[in-house]
Amino acid sequence: MKRCIPLLALFLLFAAETASARFVTYKEEFYRLFHTHHNRTPDNYIENIYWLEQALNAPFANPLHALTRIENEVQWEKYRYLFMMHVNIRLAEQHMFLGNMWNKRNAFFFNAPFREPILSSLEIAETSFRAALFYWGEALAWLERLDNPSFRWLNLQQVQFWEDEAHRIRNGQFNYARTINRELRLLQQVRERFQAMEAN
């Protein structure tokens, strides 16, 4: 047994030397780096936003490496539109979550001494909510491209969740704009109450 340990160590050293790293290059690879964190902190949301924005800007992988089975050019086109719609929805969602980390939902009188930091926090929340609104608009623009008649009976089963998102948006069951605009109105009301307070 003792003679096996040096051989095992030598093998592991050789394996580590021969293993090669590769840069993350394609949309699908960056998308796989997006994940839900157990501990939700601003840093976690910012990390996800970073990976998703990289996914938006990267090229698509070869259809052989798509996140669903692609057999023809029509499927490939629909897959790309669905992917871009879904990533923009995730970006809107992450910006909403990030904005909620900085948002203050009530202006209590005992918060008056902290008025300035709270007003700064509300600025950050508003910036996040407006970014969410931008990405939601981008998602809707990609959804419009999915109205192509050649996609009508074409279903990409391995990305069924994306298909469901598109269907729910079309039916009005899923509308982040309504939520974001409500949050912006509430934020403005809270801001006005804090601005009316006198700092003690």
Side-chain angles (χ1 to χ4, degrees):
M1 180 70 178
K2 289 184 180 180
R3 285 194 292 184
C4 292
I5 293 174
L7 289 174
L8 181 61
L10 184 62
F11 172 75
L12 291 174
L13 181 64
F14 178 74
E17 286 290 322
T18 58
S20 62
R22 189 178 75 71
F23 287 109
V24 175
T25 306
Y26 300 107
K27 288 183 183 298
E28 291 84 354
E29 294 171 323
F30 281 112
Y31 175 74
R32 284 188 181 108
L33 295 172
F34 162 78
H35 58 285
T36 303
H37 295 273
H38 177 67
N39 295 321
R40 297 184 180 190
T41 66
D43 287 345
N44 298 144
Y45 294 126
I46 290 167
E47 176 192 349
N48 274 339
I49 288 167
Y50 174 79
W51 294 130
L52 290 169
E53 285 180 347
Q54 295 302 311
L56 283 185
N57 297 321
F60 278 99
N62 185 290
L64 290 170
H65 303 291
L67 301 175
T68 188
R69 185 173 180 176
I70 302 294
E71 296 177 339
N72 57 54
E73 290 177 11
V74 177
Q75 288 178 341
W76 177 234
E77 184 181 7
K78 183 174 183 181
Y79 165 78
R80 288 178 293 149
Y81 296 165
L82 276 172
F83 181 94
M84 294 299 287
M85 179 203 72
H86 175 72
V87 169
N88 277 288
I89 290 171
R90 294 287 75 82
L91 276 162
E93 175 186 80
Q94 294 299 302
H95 278 284
M96 281 174 37
F97 292 158
L98 183 62
N100 275 324
M101 299 292 284
W102 300 103
N103 200 7
K104 182 89 170 146
R105 304 192 75 74
N106 289 301
F108 297 112
F109 72 94
F110 50 80
N111 292 135
F114 313 108
R115 184 178 75 146
E116 293 309 316
I118 290 172
L119 287 171
S120 296
S121 178
L122 291 175
E123 285 294 321
I124 297 169
E126 182 179 9
T127 301
S128 293
F129 290 143
R130 294 210 180 278
L133 211 48
F134 168 79
Y135 285 114
W136 179 252
E138 291 293 302
L140 295 180
W142 285 103
L143 178 67
E144 282 181 26
R145 294 180 184 193
L146 287 166
D147 288 336
N148 185 332
S150 62
F151 298 156
R152 183 175 300 272
W153 305 111
L154 177 62
N155 191 338
L156 303 176
Q157 293 182 0
Q158 291 168 301
V159 289
Q160 183 62 47
F161 179 70
W162 303 354
E163 298 264 14
D164 292 346
E165 281 180 333
H167 179 73
R168 288 171 47 225
I169 292 168
R170 284 188 188 109
N171 288 347
Q173 298 169 331
F174 181 25
N175 186 346
Y176 273 156
R178 189 169 42 221
T179 304
I180 297 164
N181 285 319
R182 183 187 65 225
E183 291 299 314
L184 284 169
R185 284 192 302 273
L186 177 61
L187 185 146
Q188 185 57 31
Q189 292 169 4
V190 171
R191 175 188 284 135
E192 288 169 3
R193 279 186 240 138
F194 272 111
Q195 287 170 338
M197 286 181 188
E198 290 186 18
N200 296 333

